[in-house]
Amino acid sequence: MTPRLSAVGQTLRDRLGAQRIVDDPTELETYACDGLANIRVRPGLVVLAENAADVAAAVGACADAGVPFVARGSGTGLSGGALPHAEGVLIVTARMRKIVAVDPDDGCAVVQPGVINLDVTRAAAPYGLHYAPDPSSQQICSIGGNVAENSGGAHCLKYGFTAHHVTGCSVVTPDGEQVRLGGRAAEYPGYDLLGAFIGSEGTLGITTEVTVRLTRDAESVRTLLAGFESTDDAGAAVSAIIGDGVVPAAIEMMDALAIEAAEAAVGCGYPAGAGAVLVVEIDGPLAEVEHTFAAVQEHCRACGAFEIRVAADDNERTLIWRGRKSAFAAVGRISPNYIVQDGVIPRTALPEVLRAMTELSAASGVRVANVFHAGDGNLHPLVLFDGRVEGAEERAEEVSGAILDLCIAHGGSITGEHGVGVDKAKHMPRMFTDDDLDTMQLVRCAFDPAGICNPGKVFPTPRLCGEVPRVHHAEETTPAEIF
């Protein structure tokens, strides 16, 4: 432990008590990674925060000493966004699990960052309300992490991402100051600092309280499962449904390998022999849902669906979703190791990109299972490998990177909802120019001039804020170019 970190540790023991500080090397190993488990860094020190004052004290001590710090919620992130710093402090907000208020009249709730996503909906359910963003990990992921990554989920096609459902955040800035961004109202004047903060992957500060918008439960919800012979047929059905003006609450696709994994894990009973299945959910007013649901079934049949199952009640609806919700973890049943990739393409490019991924898998000998949000082209390829085989992980990484290249080549993005973190920082120059990245870093430096807040994430080449992003000579620079 460095002298500066040791001093920070002593300061925080004195202020917060030794019980909130973890410095035992064995216990620290527990926090060495988030959901991206193949990259591990043991933190120098862990603070178990229980309130906003704890977070402010920890950040303030780090700022005074120039020690880096990283925030962590439930640790379910898949891009290494909460990967600790070996000579820094990991500030864990998992103990901040209080639902401060549920206000059905204003349709909002105020929660601490460690509150589990699904618990917000459970608290709102008695009022006929729910929290719409629903990542697959919603039973364990926390709201603070959702804010950092701008998380989505199966129903983001219709209801949007976290940014569309958060109206305010209390934040500890990188110098330890406690500020408020936004509030309970939908809009505030001035620069959209809340918008900049949401999705910033913990690089602009740490949220200590979040005001979320609650959504009224739909009058009617209908869910179906459709089996197709191929992903091409299923992709054509997706395009037909969306092209008809239908906006499903969710439309999810799984290919044969993902179905095999789900069957092995939870016995979901999906159509035998299916090369792909779609889970389609329609919600809204009863009459509208009945009309739209019939149209969806017609589109599925016209595109070759050989079996369509309609959920008769909530139990059957849960059974249909069971296979999809378990898919990521289920892949462990058919492969000892796998990489969860995350990329976005235009929806119309789905058939072409899926065929290219199949060819890529065949040529490399690396199996790829596909589970994704088909309606908005948010892919989640699962690249399978056996870490015990020499070179297998490296080959899987190459295939994983090639999939992102496919996304970019088809006008897409290297991430839809998992973030950049450390995992994809090296891919950022494939999407953005040096000037783009320099401008993004200037935004980061405005919040964190010392560069101590979650360093090493998002950008491929970390830069001190005192440095000029690019070499500009004064005689070449116009006033408009001076930031």
Side-chain angles (χ1 to χ4, degrees), residues 225-270:
L225 174 71
F228 297 84
E229 291 186 354
S230 69
T231 54
D232 272 10
D233 291 345
V238 173
S239 291
I241 292 167
I242 303 294
D244 194 27
V246 175
V247 181
I251 181 166
E252 302 285 295
M253 189 189 297
M254 296 170 62
D255 70 5
L257 196 52
I259 296 168
E260 176 188 338
E263 292 290 355
V266 299
C268 51
Y270 283 180

Side-chain angles (χ1 to χ4, degrees), residues 446-469:
F447 281 79
D448 179 27
I452 59 173
C453 185
N454 207 12
K457 313 295 167 55
V458 182
F459 299 103
T461 53
R463 186 195 312 278
L464 296 176
C465 292
E467 297 179 40
V468 179

Side-chain angles (χ1 to χ4, degrees), residues 5 49 165 230 311 417 425 463:
L5 182 57
H165 298 273
S230 69
E417 56 184 347
R463 186 195 312 278

